[in-house]
Amino acid sequence: MTPATSPTAVPAPTSVEPAARRRARRGEGDRTREAIISAAEALLTASGSEDAVSIRAVADAVGVTPPSIYRHFPDKAHLIFEVCARHFDAIDAALVQPILRAGGDPVEALAELARGYVRFGVENPEHYRIMFMGHADHTPGMYASERVLETGSFGGTAQLVQRAIDAGRLRADAGDAVLVTYVIWAALHGVVTVAVSKPNMPAPPLDAQVDAMIDTLLHGLLA
Amino acid sequence: MTPATSPTAVPAPTSVEPAARRRARRGEGDRTREAIISAAEALLTASGSEDAVSIRAVADAVGVTPPSIYRHFPDKAHLIFEVCARHFDAIDAALVQPILRAGGDPVEALAELARGYVRFGVENPEHYRIMFMGHADHTPGMYASERVLETGSFGGTAQLVQRAIDAGRLRADAGDAVLVTYVIWAALHGVVTVAVSKPNMPAPPLDAQVDAMIDTLLHGLLA
DNA sequence: CGCGTTTACGTAACGCTGTTCACTCAAGTG
DNA sequence: CACTTGAGTGAACAGCGTTACGTAAACGCG
C-alpha cells in the first residue's frame, strides 16, 4: 500500500466504486463519516480535480444519498478541507518530525526539508491547491491561517531557522527568525505553486529549481 | 451619482447595472464584445470573486441574454482569461517597460520591478488567482504557459538578470540566466500567492516581506 | 414486552450554474 | 424585390450545493 518511492505519499486511495451498504447502527455514524472521507479522498486523487469531488459523486461512491453527507459535514468545504488536512498531518509526521528529531546541521536540515516539502506539493497538487491556493472566503475558518502557521512545514522551518540562528550560522542582518522563516517558506511555496498551476511550463527540472532556490537563499546572488 | 431617468440614457461603460441596449448593427458585434469584457471586468473587481462573474450576471449587466455571450466567446474561461490578460498587458506597459527603458543599475531595477510586481498582484488578487493559480485543465491553451513566459514581469526579469550578468554583478556560480530568473520570479510569485490566498495570515508587512526576499536572494543568508 | 426518543438516512425539491438547440429579427447586398 | 448573414432570444438540459421534511431502525427505560 505504501509506495516506497516517496516518504511524502499519503494514505490509501480505497475504491471509487459504489458500495453495498447496510444502514449504520446507532453509535456507528462515524464509520459512515470515515467512508465519506475515504471516498472523497479517492475521488480527489483519482481525478486530480476538485470538480470531480461533487457531493453526489461522493454519495454514490459511499452508497448513500447526497443529503446524508450533510449529517456528517456542515458543507462541502469542510469535507474537502478535512481530506486535505489529513494529508498535511501525514507530511508532518513522515517528513518534518523526523528531520527535526535527527538534529543534524540545521542548514542541511533546512535544505532537506525544502526538498521534501516541494516534492510533497507536486505529488499532491490538488490537495496543495485546495489548502494553499484557494479563495480565503471559501476556506473554513479553522483552516484559514492556523494550518499554515502550525503546519509541520512552516513550524518545522521556523524551528530549524532558530537553530541556525542560535548556532551563529546566519548573517547578523538577515532579519529575525520570523521574517527569515517567512522568506524561505514563501519562496518554496512559489516553486510549488507554479509547478502545480502551470505543469506544462517549459521550466528547469524541479530538483534544479529547488537546489537553485535553496542555494540562492543561503548564499545569495551578488558577487 | 446622477440618477439617469431618461429612457435613452447612455449606459455607463464600467457599470455593473443593467443597460439599455439597441441591437448592434452588422459590423458592430465587436462593440458588444467589448461591453461584455467591460461588464465582466467590473463584476470581477467589484465582487473580488470569480464566482460572481457568472454568464448570467455578465449578460444582465450588458443587457443581453446568456446565449449571446457565446457568439463572442467560446466559453466562460476564454472570457474571463481575456479580462485578466488585459490587466497583465497593462502592468507590462505601465511598470515593466518603463523600468527596462530607464536602463539604470540592473540590480536596483530588479528590486524595483519586484516591488511593483508584488504590489500589482495583491492589488488585483482575483485576476492574479485566475491567471496564475488556477487548474491547468481549466486554462485556455493560449494562456497556459505563454503568458507566464512572455509576460512583462517574467520577460522583464529575464532581461534585467541578463544585464546584471553582463555587468558582472552576479556570482559566477549563480547559474545561468534562465535559472536565476526562474528563482527570482518563483520567489516573488510565492509572496504574492500567499498574500492573495491567505490575506488574514499574521505575517510581516508586505513591504518587509518583499524587501527581505529581495535582500535574501541577492545577498543570501549565511554568514 | 412496548413506548418514546434518538440517530441515520431517503425523497423531493429549490435555485443556481455553464452550455446548446432551434428560432427570430434586422440589416446589408445583388 | 429576394437572399444571405450577423446578432440576439426563448426554452431547455444536465449538473451543482443545499434544504425541508418524512421515515425506518436501533437503543434506553418502564
Side-chain angles (χ1 to χ4, degrees):
Chain A
M1 277 303 211
T2 53
T5 56
S6 168
T8 61
V10 196
T14 53
S15 171
V16 190
E17 298 309 309
R21 269 188 64 82
R22 294 199 335 261
R23 187 196 199 86
R25 284 195 186 78
R26 266 281 206 113
E28 293 183 346
D30 286 347
R31 206 174 295 266
T32 304
R33 202 188 126 96
E34 291 300 316
I36 292 170
I37 290 182
S38 292
E41 162 67 22
L43 281 170
L44 189 62
T45 56
S47 70
S49 172
E50 184 179 358
D51 294 349
V53 189
S54 70
I55 292 288
R56 284 173 174 82
V58 173
D60 282 352
V62 175
V64 296
T65 56
S68 299
I69 307 287
Y70 291 87
R71 196 157 305 271
H72 303 279
F73 302 90
D75 52 35
K76 182 186 174 180
H78 281 79
L79 163 58
I80 206 159
F81 266 87
E82 183 159 341
V83 167
C84 295
R86 296 196 176 194
H87 268 249
F88 282 83
D89 287 344
I91 188 188
D92 185 39
L95 174 74
V96 183
Q97 295 306 324
I99 290 180
L100 286 179
R101 275 195 297 268
D105 176 68
V107 173
E108 285 182 11
L110 270 173
E112 186 183 350
L113 178 59
R115 273 184 279 268
Y117 181 75
V118 171
R119 184 164 65 178
F120 168 80
V122 300
E123 284 178 355
N124 303 274
E126 206 64 9
H127 299 79
Y128 197 92
R129 180 202 316 283
I130 292 167
M131 207 65 176
F132 287 140
M133 300 166 67
H135 200 132
D137 293 351
H138 296 29
T139 304
M142 69 178 80
Y143 299 111
S145 55
E146 304 172 14
R147 276 282 156 185
V148 178
L149 294 180
E150 79 178 28
T151 195
S153 45
F154 194 92
T157 304
Q159 290 190 41
L160 292 177
V161 166
Q162 190 59 55
R163 289 186 197 174
I165 291 177
D166 293 343
R169 299 292 304 276
L170 298 193
R171 284 170 41 216
D173 60 341
D176 63 344
V178 172
L179 195 55
V180 170
T181 303
Y182 203 91
V183 163
I184 294 176
W185 184 78
L188 297 171
H189 176 69
V191 170
V192 175
T193 302
V194 61
V196 165
S197 192
K198 306 288 177 192
N200 298 323
M201 201 169 92
L206 198 68
D207 287 345
Q209 292 180 36
V210 180
D211 288 342
M213 180 66 81
I214 289 294
D215 192 67
T216 301
L217 290 173
L218 294 179
H219 298 96
L221 290 168
L222 263 44
Chain B
M1 291 201 193
T2 57
T5 52
S6 168
T8 60
V10 178
T14 59
S15 171
V16 190
E17 298 307 308
R21 268 188 65 81
R22 293 198 336 259
R23 188 197 200 85
R25 286 197 184 76
R26 266 279 206 112
E28 293 183 346
D30 286 347
R31 206 175 296 267
T32 305
R33 203 188 124 95
E34 290 301 315
I36 292 171
I37 290 183
S38 291
E41 162 68 24
L43 280 169
L44 188 62
T45 56
S47 69
S49 172
E50 184 179 357
D51 294 349
V53 189
S54 70
I55 292 289
R56 283 171 174 83
V58 173
D60 282 352
V62 174
V64 296
T65 56
S68 301
I69 308 287
Y70 291 88
R71 196 157 306 270
H72 303 279
F73 301 91
D75 53 36
K76 183 186 175 180
H78 281 79
L79 164 59
I80 206 160
F81 266 86
E82 184 160 340
V83 167
C84 295
R86 296 197 176 195
H87 267 248
F88 282 83
D89 287 345
I91 187 189
D92 183 40
L95 174 73
V96 183
Q97 295 305 324
I99 290 180
L100 286 179
R101 275 195 298 268
D105 176 69
V107 173
E108 286 183 9
L110 270 173
E112 186 183 350
L113 178 60
R115 274 184 279 268
Y117 180 75
V118 172
R119 183 165 64 180
F120 168 80
V122 300
E123 285 179 354
N124 302 273
E126 207 63 10
H127 299 79
Y128 197 92
R129 182 203 315 283
I130 292 167
M131 208 63 176
F132 288 139
M133 299 165 69
H135 199 134
D137 294 350
H138 295 31
T139 304
M142 69 177 83
Y143 299 111
S145 55
E146 304 171 13
R147 277 281 155 186
V148 178
L149 294 180
E150 79 177 28
T151 196
S153 45
F154 194 92
T157 304
Q159 290 190 41
L160 292 176
V161 166
Q162 189 60 57
R163 288 186 197 175
I165 291 178
D166 293 343
R169 299 291 304 277
L170 297 194
R171 284 170 42 216
D173 61 340
D176 64 344
V178 171
L179 195 56
V180 170
T181 302
Y182 202 91
V183 163
I184 294 175
W185 183 78
L188 297 172
H189 176 69
V191 170
V192 175
T193 301
V194 60
V196 164
S197 193
K198 305 288 177 193
N200 299 323
M201 201 169 91
L206 198 67
D207 287 344
Q209 292 180 35
V210 180
D211 288 342
M213 180 66 81
I214 290 294
D215 193 66
T216 301
L217 290 174
L218 294 179
H219 298 95
L221 290 168
L222 263 45

